[in-house]
Amino acid sequence: MRTTVLRSVQIAMTALIVLGLVCHVQAGETYKLALSLAITGPTSDAGNPYAKGVEDYFKYVNEEKILGDDTIDCTIRDDQYKTDVTKRNFEEFLDMDIVFYLNYSTGSTLALKKDFEEEQMPTIPASFHAGNLVDSNYIFLPIASYSAQAIGLAEYVVKNHQGDTPKVAMFIHPSAFGRGPVEDVEKAIAAGLKMEIVEVVEHGKDLDNTAMLKRLMSKGVQYVICHTVQSPVATVLKDSSRLGLTAKSFGEKEKLTFLGAHYTGGNDLIALAGPASENFFWTTSYTLTSEPGPGTDFQLALAKRFGRDDKAANSHNYTNGIMVAQVATEAIRRAKARGAKVTKESLYEELLMMNGDKAFKLDTTVGPVTYSKTDKMGVDTLQLYSVTSGVFRAVDKPFSPEFVGKI
Amino acid sequence: MTYFLQLVVSGVVVGSIYALSALGFVLIYKSSRVLNIAHGQIIASGAFITYALKVFLGVPIVLSFLLSLVITFFLAMSVERIFLRRLIGEPIISVIMVTIGLMSIIDGLIYLTPFGTENFSFPRFLPQTPLSLGGVSISWTQLVGVLITAALIGGFSYFFKKSTLGISMRAVSDDQLASMSIGISVPKVFGLAWAAAGLSAAAAGGIIGNITGLNFDTLHAFGITVFPVVILGGLDSILGAVVAGIIMGLIQQFASGYLDGNFGLNGTADVLPYVILLIILLFKPHGLFGIHEIERV
């Protein structure tokens, strides 16, 4: 009797193990990816919706079986915008055998650049700093660099300014992130862009920008190109509005027209600056929910599906997160399609092949993602938006800054 | 001349807000000789409480602001009661380390709420058209900020000079043992100092939040931004905080207005206050109005 029971248990256990193995084979591969970013701490107002975008899109991929039976397991960790924590996270991710890495800040991307090279890890950061690409093979910017954005804004100023050479001030974040594009705009001017940079202002934690604004006016400045985060821009816009210095239309004489790169704008700027944000011109490569289309419909549906609130659903940084997850997923899908094993090496190759007729066209950006050995800037196209009646509206068609190729 | 006057007005506005932000440091130091490193977090908490009362609970803005002062008053008092009361008599560095821990705890708690990672803005409740006189303008937000600052600083000055409790607090600051010997409750005074600092921080948070918008990083950074003001004025002087605040505000505006962008200079508005601070401290190491204690051996 006892022998019979033991045998039955033995058979049952063997069956369970076999069943488990079969299920495992049927469940397909799991590809490990990782993201380290500021979910709390400085810039977490951008990092938080970004993380949600990445998380939601990979959940969607797994649930909708976009990769068949294969799944993506993306570990997301908070680094509080601290480079040492990012480095520790990255080292732990390596122990997990990740095949693709998503990074965040300019500082940590520059600091870990050598690690990405040594590990040969394809990496997409949330920082669009052009310097990330210097002496680097494995970093891929998702969209046009900050430099390209600033040059794009400068070109728009030059094309639409009436009168003599336009006088411009640059209002920047006091960091590598902020300073990066200044030199490239100066190079564009040296290459023939007819514009004068009168002053470069590195802001502090200013409660009142009266002195700065009056000074710029006294020097004949008519345009202010901002490259920082939303909060200081909001304070400047409010002060300018209070002093009656803000242009009512683009390039209004003896007034200031404000323009800004990706991280200066979005719905948060409108929330912070209120009516003072009217006529603020902003550029990014992402589509916005205030200009509905297939990409934004998908974004809103995704946010609804995973229970995100309206604020996250309409954030351009949520779009940003979705987009980098789309690129990583597409690289995996293409590697699988050509029968390659999904590894960091094969995904790197896939990214390099993402050009020409293999460019990745997606609806969350205003242009296709193109990468090659010599082009690590994903979406080259920019869209200009301006605040009209409290929302960002598209201005003209998407464009590619001409002087980016000349500097 | 109009330009100069505009810079003066802007400098006084900014300086007043610095003074109010610095007041919390002074109140705690004045009674307990402790530097509260978590002051910036309390400033941010005050702003968020006002916003939550107004937007989430629909309380009128003025009442929200007043309630936030009351709530922060009791919150700060509770913090002192729970975390710091046990450290009376322990080395000051231990107490400061506790305030550093407190900073991390408040950070963590705020990050659990949307206020930690999102931007908010107070609903507009003041006229948007600025007040202008002879080409010099000031926004209603700034004007109300200056008036609230003046009222609070005046109130605290009166309290310390005329009320029994205020005089008790000064006595504790001067000599804890002697104060106890005449029946003053030192723990009660410490609790009250923290509560008053909480109240002033909440007021500062409300005003700053109304100017910059509600961003946690921006708000809690003011705890550090006003540190030169506290040192320059003298750690234990309310008058010092006011004078130093306004000096710093004016220096920043004049530096920005006359130096930055000229003579190849940039960023002097951020650096010059520290340079002036160092120079003044060379001659007055206890700050402009700080008490120079003499120990006779």
Side-chain angles (χ1 to χ4, degrees):
Chain A
M1 179 67 182
R2 201 175 159 200
T3 317
T4 318
V5 171
L6 275 173
R7 181 149 301 168
S8 305
V9 170
Q10 214 171 14
I11 291 167
M13 285 188 72
T14 311
L16 277 173
I17 290 166
V18 170
L19 191 68
L21 284 171
V22 169
C23 287
H24 183 71
V25 170
Q26 278 181 345
E29 295 266 336
T30 297
Y31 309 118
K32 295 204 170 187
L33 277 69
L35 161 63
S36 177
L37 82 169
I39 299 175
T40 62
T43 75
S44 55
D45 50 344
N48 204 283
Y50 185 94
K52 287 172 181 166
V54 171
E55 185 184 348
D56 290 354
Y57 188 75
F58 285 140
K59 270 193 206 167
Y60 167 82
V61 167
N62 293 340
E63 287 179 9
E64 293 299 317
K65 294 194 174 295
I66 304 287
L67 298 173
D69 287 329
D70 295 354
T71 53
I72 289 174
D73 174 14
C74 183
T75 305
I76 299 177
R77 282 204 192 152
D78 184 14
D79 59 26
Q80 298 185 314
Y81 207 63
K82 293 174 183 165
T83 298
D84 57 326
V85 181
T86 314
K87 179 152 173 85
R88 198 167 60 234
N89 284 345
F90 181 65
E91 282 165 1
E92 287 177 16
F93 294 148
L94 290 176
D95 293 338
M96 295 176 189
D97 289 328
I98 57 168
V99 292
F100 202 100
Y101 177 58
L102 302 172
N103 200 50
Y104 183 71
S105 68
T106 300
S108 64
T109 306
L110 291 172
L112 293 178
K113 195 191 283 186
K114 280 188 180 168
D115 299 67
F116 303 148
E117 290 293 304
E118 276 176 20
E119 298 299 334
Q120 301 184 335
M121 181 63 67
T123 300
I124 301 184
S127 155
F128 316 140
H129 179 48
N132 292 338
L133 304 179
V134 177
D135 299 327
S136 163
N137 293 300
Y138 290 88
I139 296 173
F140 295 82
L141 304 188
I143 64 165
S145 67
Y146 301 132
S147 296
Q149 293 173 26
I151 291 170
L153 292 171
E155 285 180 10
Y156 187 82
V157 167
V158 171
K159 277 180 192 159
N160 293 278
H161 172 73
Q162 290 178 341
D164 298 337
T165 307
K167 291 188 172 181
V168 177
M170 293 189 75
F171 180 74
I172 60 166
H173 194 270
S175 65
F177 152 73
R179 291 176 197 125
V182 176
E183 198 181 326
D184 288 328
V185 175
E186 285 169 347
K187 281 182 190 167
I189 292 170
L193 186 65
K194 294 202 181 312
M195 184 186 95
E196 182 189 350
I197 297 179
V198 174
E199 195 177 323
V200 178
V201 181
E202 290 193 8
H203 64 75
K205 303 245 177 243
D206 303 312
L207 285 175
D208 189 309
N209 295 283
T210 302
M212 185 264 288
L213 289 166
K214 292 261 183 186
R215 184 178 77 234
L216 296 182
M217 287 301 290
S218 71
K219 292 179 173 180
V221 169
Q222 211 176 330
Y223 304 94
V224 181
I225 295 177
C226 309
H227 174 50
T228 174
V229 290
Q230 293 129 334
S231 182
V233 177
T235 311
V236 167
L237 292 178
K238 284 199 269 190
D239 286 337
S240 175
S241 175
R242 167 175 59 87
L243 295 165
L245 302 177
T246 308
K248 296 267 189 292
S249 59
F250 187 89
E252 185 185 350
K253 286 201 188 316
E254 295 177 11
K255 299 282 178 186
L256 294 170
T257 298
F258 292 90
L259 309 97
H262 178 90
Y263 284 111
T264 62
N267 293 335
D268 274 358
L269 179 76
I270 297 171
L272 288 170
S277 61
E278 283 292 305
N279 289 313
F280 178 76
F281 288 78
W282 174 54
T283 195
T284 181
S285 299
Y286 293 105
T287 55
L288 298 185
T289 53
S290 54
E291 290 286 356
T296 56
D297 290 348
F298 170 74
Q299 174 180 330
L300 293 173
L302 193 74
K304 192 177 174 190
R305 176 173 177 159
F306 295 108
R308 302 302 185 190
D309 59 23
D310 280 354
K311 204 165 186 175
N314 289 288
S315 164
H316 64 289
N317 290 312
Y318 184 66
T319 325
N320 198 344
I322 293 172
M323 182 264 184
V324 293
Q326 284 177 314
V327 173
T329 306
E330 180 65 9
I332 294 172
R333 193 191 66 74
R334 290 183 182 190
K336 271 169 54 94
R338 74 175 158 100
K341 186 171 167 55
V342 175
T343 59
K344 56 187 182 182
E345 290 81 10
S346 65
L347 296 183
Y348 176 66
E349 282 171 30
E350 282 307 328
L351 288 177
L352 293 183
M353 287 190 281
M354 220 173 246
N355 54 61
D357 57 352
K358 285 187 176 173
F360 178 35
K361 296 181 183 70
L362 65 179
D363 294 327
T364 44
T365 56
V366 296
V369 175
T370 56
Y371 292 125
S372 70
K373 279 218 162 189
T374 53
D375 169 23
K376 301 273 174 41
M377 215 162 66
V379 181
D380 301 326
T381 324
L382 289 166
Q383 173 66 57
L384 193 71
Y385 298 94
S386 80
V387 181
T388 310
S389 305
V391 288
F392 275 104
R393 295 283 179 214
V395 179
D396 299 339
K397 299 277 180 207
F399 66 102
S400 295
E402 291 168 28
F403 277 84
V404 172
K406 295 181 185 174
I407 61 170
Chain B
M1 189 60 183
T2 309
Y3 183 56
F4 174 79
L5 288 174
Q6 180 67 65
L7 296 186
V8 170
V9 169
S10 296
V12 170
V13 167
V14 172
S16 304
I17 298 166
Y18 284 167
L20 183 58
S21 306
L23 195 60
F25 275 115
V26 174
L27 289 170
I28 291 175
Y29 189 84
K30 200 174 172 62
S31 63
S32 61
R33 291 287 185 265
V34 168
L35 270 181
N36 175 22
I37 306 295
H39 189 60
Q41 278 64 17
I42 301 177
I43 289 176
S45 305
F48 295 148
I49 291 170
T50 307
Y51 181 88
L53 289 169
K54 168 67 189 143
V55 176
F56 301 153
L57 300 179
V59 179
I61 187 73
V62 176
L63 193 56
S64 299
F65 180 70
L66 294 174
L67 279 174
S68 81
L69 301 189
V70 175
I71 292 169
T72 320
F73 179 91
F74 286 109
L75 271 180
M77 188 182 262
S78 311
V79 164
E80 191 279 334
R81 184 72 188 82
I82 296 165
F83 296 105
L84 295 149
R85 180 83 46 104
R86 293 160 204 275
L87 291 167
I88 290 177
E90 297 297 325
I92 292 297
I93 188 68
S94 306
V95 188
I96 292 174
M97 289 309 292
V98 168
T99 68
I100 291 173
L102 198 58
M103 179 180 77
S104 294
I105 291 171
I106 299 175
D107 273 351
L109 289 174
I110 290 178
Y111 284 131
L112 289 175
T113 72
F115 292 117
T117 54
E118 292 179 22
N119 295 312
F120 297 88
S121 192
F122 282 118
R124 282 175 287 284
F125 61 97
L126 291 168
Q128 295 299 298
T129 314
L131 292 163
S132 292
L133 186 66
V136 176
S137 76
I138 181 171
S139 72
W140 280 92
T141 308
Q142 291 177 324
L143 182 64
V144 169
V146 171
L147 292 176
I148 291 172
T149 303
L152 277 171
I153 288 175
F156 276 120
S157 297
Y158 181 84
F159 171 77
F160 278 112
K161 278 190 181 159
K162 302 289 180 185
S163 75
T164 311
L165 207 52
I167 293 168
S168 303
M169 288 174 83
R170 285 166 56 203
V172 170
S173 158
D174 200 41
D175 191 329
Q176 288 184 22
L177 276 177
S179 304
M180 279 193 276
S181 72
I182 57 166
I184 294 173
S185 167
V186 172
K188 189 177 159 189
V189 164
F190 283 179
L192 198 64
W194 272 80
L199 185 148
S200 71
I207 294 165
I208 296 167
N210 212 8
I211 292 172
T212 63
L214 298 173
N215 175 284
F216 182 47
D217 289 328
T218 306
L219 288 170
H220 78 66
F222 270 89
I224 301 299
T225 305
V226 297
F227 208 68
V229 172
V230 182
I231 303 291
L232 179 62
L235 275 161
D236 52 4
S237 169
I238 293 178
L239 177 65
V242 176
V243 173
I246 291 174
I247 287 175
M248 287 294 185
L250 288 171
I251 290 173
Q252 280 191 342
Q253 290 299 314
F254 286 137
S256 178
Y258 292 115
L259 297 178
D260 280 351
N262 297 309
F263 321 112
L265 295 170
N266 207 339
T268 58
D270 293 320
V271 175
L272 208 59
Y274 290 93
V275 174
I276 304 275
L277 171 73
L278 284 173
I279 293 169
I280 291 179
L281 288 182
L282 278 176
F283 298 100
K284 295 198 63 94
H286 293 86
L288 290 173
F289 296 89
I291 294 171
H292 183 193
E293 289 175 359
I294 299 168
E295 280 189 40
R296 297 187 194 283
V297 181

